[in-house]
Amino acid sequence: MRHKNEAAHHVEPVTLDRTDKAILKALQRDASISNVALAAKVNLSPPACLRRVERLKAAGLIRGIVALLEPRALDAGMLVMIGVVLDRSTPDSFAAFEKAVQRVSGCLECHVVTGEFDYFMLLRTRDNESFNRLHAEQLLYLPGVRQIRSFMVLKQVLSTTQLPL
């Protein structure tokens, strides 16, 4: 799921009790769990559990329910981190880059960062050859870019979608 702008997600202030946290933890582990099984796990009736899940969704705490796919099985086994430096730091140059990066094949994430880079991108591709092609056909044409530094991931030590609760 692509998120155009993380800041655009509206989150209502919500006080979470133990049951809300238990629901969120269970859904982070397995969002395909049935409402009946979830209710049993958190000691609620199914209707009460469903109401709580809907309240958490309405408050913006649950952005979506997704399936996590196996990258290697789908020819996307190479993970690459890319540091990007723009020519200039103006609102227009940032906007042009951010619009263009939405169309980069295999780009999973793009973040504005502090330090020597303006952005870090995370992308997946099949292998070195496909990354070289992506670099030559797409990355080199991103607007306003002065420098691109690529970091091929040799070993993924930790990757999770679960937030601590």
Side-chain angles (χ1 to χ4, degrees):
M1 179 187 320
R2 288 189 191 251
H3 300 289
K4 289 187 180 185
N5 182 351
E6 292 295 324
H9 294 287
H10 180 67
V11 179
E12 295 291 325
V14 173
T15 302
L16 299 176
D17 62 18
R18 277 189 4 226
T19 303
D20 291 329
K21 289 179 182 179
I23 289 169
L24 292 172
K25 284 180 185 179
L27 290 175
Q28 283 191 114
R29 278 191 294 278
D30 181 9
S32 69
I33 189 171
S34 72
N35 182 61
V36 171
L38 178 60
K41 193 173 280 241
V42 298
N43 298 317
L44 287 176
S45 69
C49 184
L50 186 58
R51 281 193 301 275
R52 281 193 185 236
V53 170
E54 292 304 320
R55 181 177 57 81
L56 293 168
K57 285 180 181 178
L61 292 167
I62 299 173
R63 292 194 316 213
I65 306 291
V66 300
L68 299 176
L69 307 180
E70 175 50 54
R72 285 174 199 82
L74 298 166
D75 274 342
M78 175 175 268
L79 184 61
V80 184
M81 293 181 209
I82 300 170
V84 177
V85 179
L86 297 185
D87 278 333
R88 54 192 181 278
S89 296
T90 66
D92 287 345
S93 63
F94 278 82
F97 176 83
E98 290 173 16
K99 183 177 179 188
V101 81
Q102 303 284 327
R103 297 185 301 276
V104 172
S105 301
C107 186
L108 304 174
E109 298 181 25
C110 182
H111 305 274
V112 176
V113 296
T114 61
E116 73 177 273
F117 296 103
D118 293 311
Y119 292 91
F120 263 110
M121 297 169 59
L122 186 65
L123 66 83
R124 281 207 172 266
T125 188
R126 184 175 60 249
D127 52 24
N128 282 335
E129 185 180 314
S130 63
F131 176 72
N132 285 338
R133 193 169 40 257
L134 176 76
H135 187 274
E137 294 173 1
Q138 294 184 43
L139 297 178
L140 290 178
Y141 295 99
L142 288 170
V145 172
R146 178 174 38 152
Q147 181 184 32
I148 294 176
R149 295 184 68 198
S150 304
F151 306 88
M152 287 12 177
V153 174
L154 300 176
K155 177 181 175 185
Q156 192 170 42
V157 177
L158 173 69
S159 177
T160 184
T161 60
Q162 296 183 27
L163 298 176
L165 293 172

